[in-house]
């Protein structure tokens, strides 16, 4: 997915690229890659499997076995970040058996600043799965959302179970993760295929050894149920929510389970919960090709484009990039990395894909490609790749990629079960993206070796009876293709589709006055956009 980041500021300011649906493993570590579709979870929903069936709403009455959880009062304390408070809220590890133990959820808030009547809490989630909502709140949403919104809402975030501060899943140490991210994800022979499969197995075994119980209970449905406990603990009768990318799947799942408790909900960069994993991965592969085509057209108009010049067709730009990847596959180049890492095909491809999430990164990508292709210096692409994987200069990784796999592999059955199935699907993936298709197809194999069986299946989400929900789609979004927003808006009974005609991942806070004013009006006044409203 992916995921990538969703810490946003306006186009005129420096910003961190969006975290959301993680791309196909990009190429390896994001495992199930695509954010999963609607997951029923074997212990959390009565909905039957099959994309033709809608996720069933839960009873409105709180079960007696959950009363203690719903009656919690947060003990707010200082977070160490000025203006923010933190608390811990408990949720049952297993909703089917609350006596089996608890999960401790980290929650943070920044109280409404005023003036104006307080509208309650506004929960935010940047996606992933695996992105830290608290990190997003403290780095951007709590200080960078429109002042009018922050004046009226308590800005709130909860790290989902298994993520960041909420009992994080861990799989590999830094050195092992370095090896994992450098593994060749486009195997040329049986030996390289075995090496790739072994990398997936080692990653999965590490996750299983770290959290054998929790790993069975990090589904999206369980996290959505956790959000309802947080809502109750905050004292809000309804959930107000802004979710990006995978956060849209989480928000839609909440709406499907608790339609009567939906307040003002924005789902930006929407997922389609009705699709199986293979189709999700294939659609996202096509989405990255669409983004690359836009980059290619822009690149050849610039004087510093190393992939072509004016008049060079996007297809030729893609062939030039593929040829560069092939050279790196045979002969990795230096990066000056303190740990001795060289830039091979895997890290270079990840670096390029990272820049596809945000057109604001295109200049950085051109510079990095120029350094690598013309000066044999891979440092720039390594920086982009490390930012995607959230690796710091000391070689430490956040748990983003671990949680990403844990959630995705539980939410949906694997896209592929064997290497032969991947080989059979390569023509379709390479047609979807001549540049990225092969690598993203192989990245879709990773859940085949997961230590826990998937508990979810594709479902539609209708959320009948919910208040109006705003679904936002960007026409050239690489990670969450526009068709997904169209599909989700058709599924949700109260959805209003808001379209952004442009590039990049997600739309809110990206500089479109039309998008921002429409969403702000909805959040502040409850007035949804007109049917089929489009912005540019």
């Amino acid at each position: 997915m992916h995921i990538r980041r969703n810490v946003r500021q306006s186009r005129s300011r420096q910003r961190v690229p969006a975290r959301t649906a993680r791309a196909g493993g990009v190429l390896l570590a994001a495992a199930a890659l695509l954010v999963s579709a609607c997951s029923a979870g074997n212990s959390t929903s009565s909905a039957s499997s099959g994309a033709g069936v809608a996720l069933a709403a839960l009873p409105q009455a709180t079960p007696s076995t959950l009363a203690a959880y719903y009656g919690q009062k947060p003990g707010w304390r200082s977070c160490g970040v000025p203006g923010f408070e933190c608390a811990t809220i408990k949720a049952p590890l297993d909703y089917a058996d609350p006596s089996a133990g608890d999960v401790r959820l980290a929650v943070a808030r920044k109280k409404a600043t005023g003036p104006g009547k307080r509208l309650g809490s506004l929960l935010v989630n940047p996606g992933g799965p695996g992105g830290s909502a608290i990190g997003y709140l403290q780095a951007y949403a709590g200080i960078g959302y429109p002042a009018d919104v922050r004046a009226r809402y308590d800005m709130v975030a909860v790290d989902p179970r298994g993520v960041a501060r909420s009992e994080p899943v861990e799989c590999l140490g830094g050195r092992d993760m370095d090896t994992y991210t450098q593994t060749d994800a486009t195997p040329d022979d049986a030996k390289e295929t075995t090496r790739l499969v072994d990398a997936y197995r080692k990653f999965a075994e590490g996750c299983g050894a770290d959290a054998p119980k929790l790993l069975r209970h990090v589904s999206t449905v369980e996290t959505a149920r956790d959000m309802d406990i947080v809502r109750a603990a905050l004292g809000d009768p309804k959930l107000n929510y802004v979710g990006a990318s995978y956060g849209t799947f989480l928000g839609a799942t909440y709406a499907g389970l608790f339609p009567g408790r939906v307040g003002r909900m924005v789902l930006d960069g929407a997922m389609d919960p009705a699709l199986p994993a293979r189709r999700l991965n294939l659609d996202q592969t096509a989405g990255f090709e669409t983004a690359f085509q836009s980059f290619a057209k822009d690149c050849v108009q610039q004087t510093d484009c190393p992939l072509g010049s004016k008049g060079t067709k996007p297809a030729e730009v893609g062939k030039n990039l593929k040829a560069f990847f092939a050279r790196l596959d045979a002969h990795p180049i230096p990066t000056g990395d303190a740990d001795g890492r060289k830039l091979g095909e895997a890290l270079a491809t990840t670096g390029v894909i990272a820049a596809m999430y945000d057109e604001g990164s295109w200049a950085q990508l051109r510079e990095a490609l120029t350094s690598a292709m013309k000066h044999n210096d891979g440092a720039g692409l390594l920086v982009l790749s490390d930012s995607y994987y959230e690796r710091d200069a000391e070689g430490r990784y956040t748990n983003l990629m671990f949680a990403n796999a844990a959630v995705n592999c539980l939410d949906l059955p694997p896209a592929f079960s064997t290497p032969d199935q991947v080989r059979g699907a390569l023509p379709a993936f390479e047609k979807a993206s001549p540049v990225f298709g092969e690598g993203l197809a192989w990245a879709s194999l990773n859940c085949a070796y997961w230590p826990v069986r998937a508990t979810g299946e594709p479902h539609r989400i209708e959320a009948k009876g919910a208040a109006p929900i705003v679904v936002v789609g960007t026409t050239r979004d690489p990670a969450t293709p526009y068709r997904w927003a169209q599909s989700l808006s058709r599924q949700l009974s109260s959805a209003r589709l808001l379209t952004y005609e442009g590039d990049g991942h997600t739309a809110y806070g990206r500089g479109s006055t039309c998008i921002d004013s429409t969403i702000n009006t909805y959040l502040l006044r409850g007035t949804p956009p007109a049917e089929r409203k489009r912005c540019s």
Side-chain angles (χ1 to χ4, degrees), residues 70-86:
Y70 274 83
Q72 295 175 85
K73 301 298 181 185
W76 296 106
R77 61 188 184 279
S78 172
C79 288
V81 179
F84 293 88
E85 300 174 304
C86 289

Side-chain angles (χ1 to χ4, degrees), residues 373-389:
M373 297 175 71
K374 296 186 176 181
H375 306 296
N376 208 46
D377 179 2
L381 284 172
L382 185 64
V383 167
L384 283 166
S385 178
D386 283 351
S387 72
Y388 186 93
Y389 288 130

Side-chain angles (χ1 to χ4, degrees), residues 281-303:
N281 286 329
L282 189 60
D283 280 0
Q284 195 183 50
T285 299
F288 277 100
E289 182 64 22
T290 297
F292 179 76
Q293 293 281 318
S294 290
F295 165 75
K297 292 175 184 177
D298 178 80
C299 186
V300 298
Q301 300 301 314
Q302 312 301 325
T303 58

Side-chain angles (χ1 to χ4, degrees), residues 169-171 202-213 215 451:
V169 172
E170 301 290 343
C171 300
K202 182 175 181 179
F203 183 93
E205 288 169 358
C207 295
D210 175 72
K213 291 183 179 180
L215 216 60

Side-chain angles (χ1 to χ4, degrees), residues 159-171:
D159 280 348
R161 52 174 64 201
V163 174
R165 299 163 178 83
S166 295
E167 302 193 17
V169 172
E170 301 290 343
C171 300

